């Protein structure tokens, strides 16, 4: 199988699929039979659509182990029925125990929001990240360039953790005693490593003190 995807045709992709399926069966003859019979992930991943951030692969999970929602700059908006539907299905139907909010350093969407770079229709979506920039502007004043983008990446993850916790889906789950932990992670495209920002919460009340620790580190 070629290492580079440049110039691949649809036929090439189907061939790669056949090779992948065959390799999975070679490793485990019952893999697809077991996969088809159930879906029971314990984790919901909310991340960026960036092609360099393959959720399953970077945490070493197989198909069926991670429920995934992705959008530009990993934003959770209370009016986004797509994201909320994924969240509701994950919590109420699949009964996931963990929600991972993961951004990534060098995010071009976050960079565009930071610098007011016009990218087209997506500017409307990135307005949510510009809101984060404006809210936490005092933590961005002492950094510039790539460092500023990466700090806004972290601040954006923190804000999206709050947004997830404020949804009726998660609030109702916590109210009925369903265990759900929200995690704040950032992925380094430059080194393949995940970082934990430290805002790991199992109730809404835990957010403020943990967010304060993160913000204090930017002063």
């Amino acid at each position: 199988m070629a290492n580079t995807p440049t110039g691949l045709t649809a036929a090439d992709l189907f061939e790669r699929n056949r090779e992948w399926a065959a390799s999975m069966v070679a490793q485990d003859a019952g893999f697809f039979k077991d996969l088809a019979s159930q879906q029971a992930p314990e984790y919901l991943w909310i991340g960026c659509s960036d092609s360099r951030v393959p959720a399953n692969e970077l945490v070493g999970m197989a198909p069926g182990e991670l429920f995934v929602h992705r959008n530009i700059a990993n934003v959770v908006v209370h009016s986004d029925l797509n994201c909320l539907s994924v969240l509701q299905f994950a919590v109420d139907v699949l009964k996931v125990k963990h929600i991972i909010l993961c951004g990534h350093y060098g995010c071009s969407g976050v960079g565009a929001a930071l610098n007011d770079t016009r990218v087209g229709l997506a500017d409307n979506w990135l307005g949510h990240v510009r809101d984060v920039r404006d809210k936490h502007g005092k933590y961005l004043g002492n950094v510039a360039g790539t460092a500023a983008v990466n700090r806004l990446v972290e601040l954006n993850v923190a804000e999206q953790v709050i947004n997830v916790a404020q949804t009726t889906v998660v609030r109702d789950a916590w109210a009925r005693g369903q265990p759900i932990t929200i995690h704040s992670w950032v992925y380094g495209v430059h080194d393949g490593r995940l970082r934990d920002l430290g805002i790991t919460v199992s109730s809404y009340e835990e957010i403020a003190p943990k967010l304060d620790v993160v913000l204090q580190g930017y002063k």
Side-chain angles (χ1 to χ4, degrees):
M1 185 182 296
N3 291 324
T4 174
T6 303
L8 288 175
T9 66
D12 294 328
L13 297 180
F14 276 109
E15 178 58 28
R16 285 184 171 216
N17 169 252
R18 285 189 288 270
E19 292 177 6
W20 172 77
S23 69
M24 298 304 291
V25 172
Q27 296 173 42
D28 179 0
F31 177 80
F32 289 108
K33 181 180 179 180
D34 293 339
L35 190 64
S37 66
Q38 66 176 349
Q39 176 181 212
E42 294 190 358
Y43 297 85
L44 166 63
W45 174 284
I46 300 177
C48 184
S49 297
D50 193 296
S51 61
R52 300 167 296 173
V53 189
N56 283 73
E57 292 182 31
L58 63 88
V59 290
M61 286 188 173
E65 296 181 332
L66 192 67
F67 201 57
V68 176
H69 176 77
R70 299 170 69 174
N71 61 54
I72 296 174
N74 44 271
V75 173
V76 178
V77 184
H78 299 153
S79 58
D80 179 7
L81 292 181
N82 185 354
C83 182
L84 293 182
S85 296
V86 172
L87 181 62
Q88 184 272 327
F89 193 89
V91 171
D92 294 346
V93 179
L94 298 177
K95 306 296 183 183
V96 299
K97 296 181 175 63
H98 301 271
I99 299 171
I100 299 167
L101 203 300
C102 187
H104 67 95
Y105 293 125
C107 179
S108 57
V110 171
L114 176 67
N115 299 310
D116 286 317
T117 303
R118 294 295 302 274
V119 296
L121 181 64
D123 293 333
N124 299 280
W125 179 256
L126 293 173
H128 302 295
V129 183
R130 290 193 297 273
D131 290 342
V132 176
R133 175 200 65 185
D134 296 342
K135 178 179 179 179
H136 294 296
K138 65 180 179 180
Y139 301 113
L140 295 166
N142 61 344
V143 286
T146 300
V149 173
N150 289 344
R151 180 164 296 182
L152 184 54
V153 164
E154 295 176 354
L155 290 166
N156 185 52
V157 167
E159 284 298 311
Q160 305 318 315
V161 167
I162 295 173
N163 288 347
V164 169
Q166 287 179 331
T167 62
T168 55
V169 173
V170 172
R171 287 162 55 195
D172 289 348
W174 280 338
R176 62 177 175 262
Q178 184 175 340
I180 296 175
T181 301
I182 307 173
H183 304 265
S184 57
W185 294 0
V186 178
Y187 174 66
V189 176
H190 60 287
D191 64 4
R193 301 294 297 275
L194 288 164
R195 280 86 169 165
D196 187 346
L197 294 185
I199 311 173
T200 305
V201 298
S202 299
S203 69
Y204 191 80
E205 292 71 26
E206 295 177 47
I207 295 177
K210 293 188 176 183
L211 175 61
D212 187 61
V213 171
V214 172
L215 296 179
Q216 289 298 320
Y218 296 142
K219 291 183 176 180

